Amino acid sequence: MAPIAKDLGATLIYAQDDGKRPYVYMWLRTREQKEKSAHQADFQGTGSKEHVTVHDARAREKQATLRDNGFELIESETTLSTEDFYNCPDKIATTYYQEMERDVKRATGASHILTFHHQVRNARIAKQTDGKRAQDLNQPVQLPVHGIHTDSHPLTAEKNFKFETSMPHHKQYQKGRFMFLNVWRNIADRPVERDNLAVLDCQSLTKPDDFLVSDLFSDSHTGHQYMLNCRNKDRHRWYYYPEMRRDELLMFVQYDSDLDRTGRSCFHTAF
């Protein structure tokens, strides 16, 4: 018997091409820093709230894969407790990174995995600034991001790859295929009930029409990412995994250097 699909209607925040280059600052600047900057506002871009159906990925006849769809769910145990994720960053950077590298390597067949960043998200715990849902990468707990985006761009991905593999102990990996991959886990003991993660099936994208380049600024570097144009929203197929447990891991691609792959850049958003 096929599982009963738990599809949801949701309003997702797309981008609208208004002719201006979008950008976002991911840290809280002082008034003086804003006055010295070319950008006074913390973000630029026109959003478009669109009602879509987010389909139950567990009910798919054929399970989604990184190669074809840009996302994939795997089983993955962690020894960290919920409290560890909030209070023990050193334990995340050692024990948890090793656990992730083990499971992602097994799932992808990669010869080497390098974990270089993580974020903990919780809307209730994350600090808010002046009552607004501010994004600040310097905070230990982040807000869920309710806006469709990717985390990287080909130029940014290649720049980061060259930097990471320039280290003496990684130089043997400077050639060949590489991939930037996000992994998303429920860190609570109960299944996810709110702020689920929606991922877009890469097979439903229209290229290059759907891709809007955006600048991303932090206090340490500048990069680029993509926003999703709303013009082809009726062609997009959105998915989520209902009631994700802490022993599950959702992998989704942010960049793949293999040009023959369909799943090379997975748009995503909290909803």
Side-chain angles (χ1 to χ4, degrees), residues 25 53 69 75 119-120 132 142 145 156 174 185 212 235 248 268:
Y25 281 80
T53 298
N69 311 102
E75 294 183 359
Q119 292 178 335
V120 178
K132 299 178 181 179
Q142 301 287 307
V145 179
T156 302
Q174 289 180 338
R185 178 193 297 276
L212 295 177
R235 297 174 58 90
E248 296 178 314
H268 54 282

Side-chain angles (χ1 to χ4, degrees), residues 29-80:
R29 297 181 293 164
T30 65
R31 179 180 298 180
E32 182 180 3
Q33 288 170 328
K34 289 183 179 182
E35 290 175 350
K36 294 180 179 180
S37 170
H39 302 133
Q40 303 303 308
D42 288 330
F43 67 91
Q44 176 172 277
T46 302
S48 180
K49 295 182 178 180
E50 305 290 348
H51 187 76
V52 304
T53 298
V54 185
H55 300 280
D56 181 352
R58 298 187 192 275
R60 286 174 55 104
E61 290 186 10
K62 181 181 179 182
Q63 291 303 304
T65 65
L66 290 176
R67 180 187 183 92
D68 296 330
N69 311 102
F71 62 93
E72 185 174 340
L73 188 74
I74 64 172
E75 294 183 359
S76 174
E77 297 281 353
T78 178
T79 57
L80 271 66

Side-chain angles (χ1 to χ4, degrees), residues 239-257:
Y239 289 94
Y240 82 114
Y241 288 88
E243 301 175 352
M244 272 191 65
R245 308 182 309 271
R246 63 178 288 121
D247 62 351
E248 296 178 314
L249 196 70
L250 177 56
M251 306 183 297
F252 51 106
V253 182
Q254 292 308 285
Y255 180 76
D256 191 335
S257 66

Side-chain angles (χ1 to χ4, degrees), residues 118-155:
H118 72 270
Q119 292 178 335
V120 178
R121 297 190 184 277
N122 185 309
R124 181 179 59 83
I125 295 176
K127 293 182 179 179
Q128 300 200 14
T129 304
D130 298 330
K132 299 178 181 179
R133 296 175 64 82
Q135 295 290 339
D136 181 4
L137 294 181
N138 293 319
Q139 295 295 334
V141 180
Q142 301 287 307
L143 289 161
V145 179
H146 290 268
I148 304 168
H149 65 286
T150 69
D151 292 344
S152 194
H153 174 282
L155 293 178

Side-chain angles (χ1 to χ4, degrees), residues 6 11 34 41 43 47 53 81 92 97 101 113 120 128 144 152 156 158 165 176 184 235-236 247 252 267:
K6 297 180 180 179
T11 299
K34 289 183 179 182
F43 67 91
T53 298
S81 67
I92 295 175
Y97 278 17
E101 291 168 3
I113 304 287
V120 178
Q128 300 200 14
S152 194
T156 302
E158 291 171 3
T165 57
W184 193 79
R235 297 174 58 90
H236 296 155
D247 62 351
F252 51 106
F267 284 93

Side-chain angles (χ1 to χ4, degrees), residues 78 80-87 92 96 120 187 246:
T78 178
L80 271 66
S81 67
T82 301
E83 291 72 22
D84 288 336
F85 283 102
Y86 289 116
N87 302 316
I92 295 175
Y96 187 65
V120 178
I187 61 174
R246 63 178 288 121

